Amino acid sequence: MVPITPPTPTRKRPSITWLFFQKPSDPKASHIRCSACPALIAYGGTTTGIIGHLKNRHFEIYQQLEKRMKMDDIVEEEESDASDVLARSFATGLIPFRFSENPEFRKFVKIVSNGRITMPNGRKIKNSIQKQAVNHLEMISKKVQNVRKFTILTDGYTNLKRDFHFYVLHIAFVNELFEREILFCSIRTVPKGDAISIGSAICTMLAEIGLKISDCTAFATDAGSPLVSLAKNHQIERVHCSCHFFDLIIKDFAKVKAIQKIQEKAQEFARYLAKHREDKKRLKTMSMENGIEEPVPLPLPETRWAGIYNILKNFLAHYATLKELSTLQRFILKPEQIELMEHTVQLLKPLHDAIMQLERDSSFASEVLPTIQWVKNKISSPTTTTTLSGKMKQIFDSRTKMMYSNRRLLCSCLLDHRFAYNLDILASWEWELAENYLKLYDKTEITAHKPPPTIPRDDTLDSFFLSSAGKKQIDDLNTDLTSYKALMGSNRPSTSSPLAFWASNQNNFPFLAPIAAELLSTPASAATCERTFSRCSDFLHQPKRNRASVETLNSLLTVSEMARSQRQAANVFDSDDDEVTEEEETEFSVWREESEEIPAEIPHETESEERDQAQIPAEFEEEGGESG
C-alpha cells in the first residue's frame, strides 16, 4: 500500500504591521508606539488601529509594505521553477548564455543539488529568458485591462558603436483603490529617433498589453524634440521631467566661463584618479582617517544629472588630503579658485537636492511647482547674493517660466491637499487660473446636470416636498471646488500622500476625485526610464555581447528590468537598485576614455522647442560660449 503524503500545511501570512512596527512581547499590551512619529496607538492584541494609523498618517510607508508583502508571495511562487530563476540570474548578472556549458559550473550545480538539477545548455537559457519576456507582457496585460487613463513615461537610448537605438516604455496610473502603479512595459528598437518612428514603437508596445495611445492623458519625458513633437501630434499633454529640467539649469550655469574653468580642474583630477589607482587608494585611505566619508571625485558621464555638483563637492571634500600627497601637488588651486568652487557648490546644492527629491518613483507632478519655489527661495537668499548668484537667478527664471504655464502642473498642484491655495507657492490669480483649467478635465456625466422636473402648482403637502427638491442646489464641479477650498482654508488634512487624501474623500468630492486620479498618476520625473538605461549600458558595453541580436538584447533587458522592478518593490528602504559603485564607475570612465572617438550614448534632447524658449541671457554668451 502506497502511503498517503499528508498535505503541506499552509503558512499563515504574517500581518503587514510587523514589517514596520516592533511587536510587543506582551500580547495583551494596550498600546504600542509608532516607529515614524510620536503617536501612541491602541493595540490590545489587534492590529486594526495600527493599520489605520499607517494608512492615515504614513500612507507611503503603507504602500511600500504592501508591495513588500506582494513580492514575498511572488518569490514563493517563483521558487517552484528553478530553471527560470537560473535563467533570470544570467540576465541580471550579465552572464553569457554559453557559460551554462562551463564544465566546472555544471559540476558545481550537480554537487550542490545532489544531482537533482540538470543544468540547461545555453540555448535553453536563452529560450527561458525569451519566454519570461513574453510572460511579462501577458502579466502586464491582465493588470491594465481596466485602465483607461494613464501617463506614458518614455525616453530614448542610442549606442552608435553598436548601431543600437531603442525606446523604453513605462506607464503610470491610479487604480480603483487610489494607489498609483508605475509598470515597466517593454523596450523597442527604432530605426531612427524621429517622432514617427518613436510613435510607431510606442503604439506597438501599448498594443501588446491591450492599451491605446488615445487613452493616454499625459507624457512625462525630457525636452527632446521628437518627444515634444510626438505629444503635440497626438494632442496629449506633456510634463517635462523635473529632474531633466533642473539639470538643464545646472548645465546652463556651467557654461559661465568662470565655472567652466574650475569644472575642468576638478574633471582633470577625477580622470587622473580613474587611471592611477594607487594614488586614488592613498587619497581615500587618508581621507577616511580624517573622518571624510564622501566618495572621491570620478569622471561621471555627461548624462548624469547634477554631475558637476557631485564632482565639485567631492573635490572640496578631499582637497585637504590632496595637498598632503606629493603626487597630487599639480592639482592644488589658488585660494580664489577654491572660494569660487565653494560658492558654486552652495548655489548648486538646492538644485541637486531638488533632483534627489523628485527622482523618486513615489514623487508626484504636483510637487514640481512647490519645489521650484523652494529652490528659488534658496538661491535668492541674502546670504548668497553675489554676481554669480545673480546669473544663476536669471538662468533659473528664464527656464521656470514654461513650467508655470503648464496646465497639468498647475491643476495637479491644486489637487494636492499639501499645497492647494498656498500663497507661498502660487499667487491668488494663479490658483484661480488652475480652477478654470480644472474644468477642462471634467468629463463626468451626472444626472444632477439635468433640469429639475416640472412641479404641478397646488397646495398639497406632496407638492411642497417636490417643490423643495426641485430647488435643491445642483452638485457639480464648482460645488466641489467651493467645498474643497473651504476645507483647505479651515482644516487642512495632515495626510502625507495626496492619493491617501483622495482615497478617503472621494465620496465627499465626487467630481474632483476622478480628475485627481487622472492628474496624480503623473510622477514628477521620468527617472525610472533613466534607471533602465543604467542596465542597458551594462549590457552594451560587454565585449562578449557583441554577437547578441537586437531581439535577444530586447528579451535580456526586459527580463532584467522586470527583475529590478520586483526587487525594488520588495526593498522598502532602498529603492535605488541600480546604484553604481565607485569601482564600477571608475572602470566605466576608463573604458569610455580608451574607446573610439564616436560617443557611446547620445542624449535625445537636441533642437528642443523648450530649449528655444529658455535661452541663456545674452550677457552670459560672451563668457560661457554658445547656448547650444
Side-chain angles (χ1 to χ4, degrees):
M1 180 176 180
V2 179
I4 299 175
T5 305
T8 304
T10 304
R11 183 177 67 88
K12 185 178 179 181
R13 195 173 190 252
S15 171
I16 190 175
T17 307
W18 311 126
L19 292 176
F20 184 71
F21 290 93
Q22 180 70 36
K23 189 172 184 178
S25 55
D26 181 5
K28 296 182 180 179
S30 59
H31 292 80
I32 67 169
R33 188 168 296 281
C34 179
S35 303
C37 71
L40 204 61
I41 313 165
Y43 174 49
T46 175
T47 60
T48 304
I50 305 173
I51 293 177
H53 176 81
L54 269 177
K55 287 183 177 180
N56 295 327
R57 296 292 184 88
H58 314 293
F59 187 70
E60 290 185 7
I61 293 176
Y62 174 77
Q63 284 184 310
Q64 291 173 333
L65 295 175
E66 274 287 324
K67 288 180 179 179
R68 185 172 179 177
M69 293 290 284
K70 291 176 183 177
M71 269 304 302
D72 289 343
D73 293 340
I74 292 172
V75 170
E76 286 185 1
E77 292 175 7
E78 289 177 347
E79 286 177 350
S80 61
D81 196 341
S83 60
D84 283 349
V85 176
L86 176 65
R88 194 174 307 132
S89 72
F90 273 66
T92 58
L94 311 177
I95 304 170
F97 300 144
R98 58 180 176 271
F99 180 74
S100 64
E101 298 171 22
N102 179 280
E104 285 72 27
F105 179 63
R106 297 179 74 88
K107 185 176 180 180
F108 167 77
V109 172
K110 184 176 181 180
I111 292 172
V112 297
S113 68
N114 291 323
R116 290 175 298 174
I117 297 178
T118 302
M119 186 65 199
N121 58 28
R123 181 174 294 278
K124 288 184 178 179
I125 292 285
K126 178 180 177 180
N127 291 341
S128 175
I129 288 173
Q130 291 174 336
K131 182 191 73 174
Q132 291 182 65
V134 172
N135 291 344
H136 171 74
L137 287 179
E138 293 176 353
M139 181 271 292
I140 295 294
S141 299
K142 293 177 182 178
K143 201 161 193 173
V144 303
Q145 59 184 350
N146 295 321
V147 173
R148 289 297 173 266
K149 293 182 178 180
F150 57 91
T151 295
I152 284 178
L153 292 83
T154 187
D155 202 358
Y157 179 99
T158 294
N159 184 284
L160 294 179
K161 290 172 67 65
R162 296 287 308 278
D163 192 26
F164 192 70
H165 318 270
F166 69 83
Y167 269 74
V168 61
L169 175 68
H170 291 74
I171 62 167
F173 61 93
V174 173
N175 61 28
E176 63 278 3
L177 299 177
F178 266 86
E179 299 170 341
R180 188 178 65 188
E181 299 187 49
I182 300 179
L183 302 178
F184 166 72
C185 297
S186 188
I187 294 170
R188 275 294 176 276
T189 56
V190 293
K192 54 184 179 178
D194 63 299
I196 295 175
S197 300
I198 297 167
S200 176
I202 289 177
C203 287
T204 299
M205 288 187 280
L206 288 174
E208 288 176 344
I209 57 175
L211 294 178
K212 298 182 294 184
I213 197 169
S214 57
D215 290 329
C216 170
T217 62
F219 276 84
T221 70
D222 64 18
S225 294
L227 295 173
V228 173
S229 299
L230 178 63
K232 185 178 290 185
N233 293 344
H234 284 274
Q235 296 182 308
I236 297 174
E237 288 185 312
R238 193 184 68 85
V239 172
H240 187 173
C241 168
S242 58
C243 295
H244 183 260
F245 161 77
F246 282 115
D247 189 57
L248 287 178
I249 295 175
I250 292 174
K251 287 177 178 175
D252 285 349
F253 185 64
K255 292 176 181 177
V256 175
K257 191 173 182 179
I259 306 300
Q260 282 183 327
K261 289 182 178 179
I262 60 171
Q263 183 184 4
E264 287 170 2
K265 295 287 186 180
Q267 285 278 20
E268 182 185 355
F269 178 60
R271 287 193 292 268
Y272 177 87
L273 292 181
K275 292 184 176 181
H276 299 79
R277 297 190 179 185
E278 287 301 318
D279 286 344
K280 174 190 169 185
K281 186 177 180 180
R282 279 197 296 270
L283 177 73
K284 189 174 181 180
T285 301
M286 290 179 62
S287 290
M288 290 181 67
E289 290 173 353
N290 295 328
I292 298 169
E293 297 182 354
E294 282 83 354
V296 297
L298 295 171
L300 299 175
E302 293 182 3
T303 53
R304 178 67 62 89
W305 287 330
I308 178 177
Y309 168 81
N310 288 317
I311 197 168
L312 295 182
K313 178 178 69 72
N314 294 337
F315 181 91
L316 290 172
H318 294 272
Y319 187 67
T321 308
L322 175 159
K323 293 193 293 184
E324 299 297 327
L325 293 172
S326 59
T327 55
L328 302 180
Q329 292 299 297
R330 64 190 178 97
F331 298 108
I332 295 178
L333 304 181
K334 298 176 182 179
E336 57 268 26
Q337 290 177 310
I338 291 296
E339 185 178 348
L340 175 61
M341 191 177 290
E342 290 172 341
H343 185 42
T344 301
V345 169
Q346 182 186 13
L347 288 173
L348 293 179
K349 187 178 187 305
L351 288 95
H352 170 266
D353 292 347
I355 291 175
M356 294 299 102
Q357 179 74 10
L358 297 175
E359 73 173 359
R360 299 169 303 139
D361 283 347
S362 59
S363 67
F364 293 91
S366 58
E367 298 171 0
V368 175
L369 297 182
T371 304
I372 288 175
Q373 186 59 48
W374 176 81
V375 173
K376 185 175 182 179
N377 293 342
K378 290 291 185 182
I379 64 176
S380 302
S381 170
T383 59
T384 60
T385 304
T386 61
T387 303
L388 201 59
S389 67
K391 293 183 177 183
M392 168 62 86
K393 285 190 289 187
Q394 263 189 286
I395 294 171
F396 188 83
D397 289 342
S398 68
R399 282 278 182 191
T400 53
K401 288 178 182 177
M402 69 178 177
M403 301 298 272
Y404 281 101
S405 65
N406 188 294
R407 184 176 73 187
R408 196 176 188 91
L409 291 182
L410 286 169
C411 290
S412 61
C413 191
L414 176 62
L415 293 180
D416 191 323
H417 69 286
R418 300 171 296 174
F419 314 122
Y421 300 106
N422 187 329
L423 297 180
D424 291 332
I425 298 173
L426 296 174
S428 297
W429 69 269
E430 289 174 305
W431 288 121
E432 291 175 6
L433 180 64
E435 287 180 337
N436 291 327
Y437 281 153
L438 207 59
K439 297 171 185 177
L440 300 175
Y441 295 96
D442 184 18
K443 303 294 190 299
T444 311
E445 297 180 4
I446 302 292
T447 53
H449 286 178
K450 297 178 181 179
T454 303
I455 308 298
R457 298 191 177 189
D458 58 44
D459 296 329
T460 63
L461 193 59
D462 289 342
S463 176
F464 168 75
F465 281 111
L466 287 172
S467 178
S468 299
K471 293 177 181 177
K472 182 181 178 181
Q473 182 183 15
I474 298 174
D475 290 336
D476 59 8
L477 184 63
N478 288 329
T479 306
D480 269 14
L481 274 172
T482 301
S483 301
Y484 178 68
K485 187 174 183 179
L487 178 63
M488 296 299 106
S490 60
N491 187 25
R492 187 183 297 267
S494 58
T495 312
S496 60
S497 166
L499 287 178
F501 168 81
W502 287 107
S504 57
N505 285 278
Q506 54 185 312
N507 293 330
N508 297 329
F509 306 105
F511 290 84
L512 283 177
I515 300 176
E518 175 185 340
L519 297 182
L520 294 174
S521 70
T522 307
S525 75
T528 187
C529 297
E530 299 296 332
R531 285 189 281 271
T532 301
F533 293 159
S534 171
R535 300 299 294 163
C536 297
S537 294
D538 292 340
F539 278 117
L540 297 174
H541 292 157
Q542 280 189 297
K544 292 186 178 181
R545 290 287 185 194
N546 57 9
R547 292 186 298 173
S549 67
V550 169
E551 292 74 17
T552 300
L553 285 172
N554 183 61
S555 296
L556 283 166
L557 292 167
T558 298
V559 171
S560 180
E561 179 62 13
M562 175 186 70
R564 187 201 67 83
S565 299
Q566 291 176 347
R567 290 197 300 271
Q568 178 179 328
N571 192 335
V572 176
F573 302 107
D574 183 13
S575 62
D576 192 0
D577 191 59
D578 285 321
E579 190 66 31
V580 181
T581 65
E582 268 190 35
E583 202 62 38
E584 289 171 334
E585 193 69 71
T586 301
E587 292 283 358
F588 173 70
S589 303
V590 173
W591 180 89
R592 284 288 297 271
E593 288 191 2
E594 294 175 351
S595 62
E596 298 178 16
E597 295 181 1
I598 298 177
E601 297 88 28
I602 56 174
H604 290 195
E605 58 187 64
T606 56
E607 301 178 5
S608 167
E609 293 185 12
E610 295 190 22
R611 187 70 184 86
D612 295 337
Q613 295 174 14
Q615 295 292 331
I616 301 177
E619 59 267 29
F620 298 165
E621 299 298 336
E622 297 179 2
E623 287 192 277
E626 297 180 0
S627 63

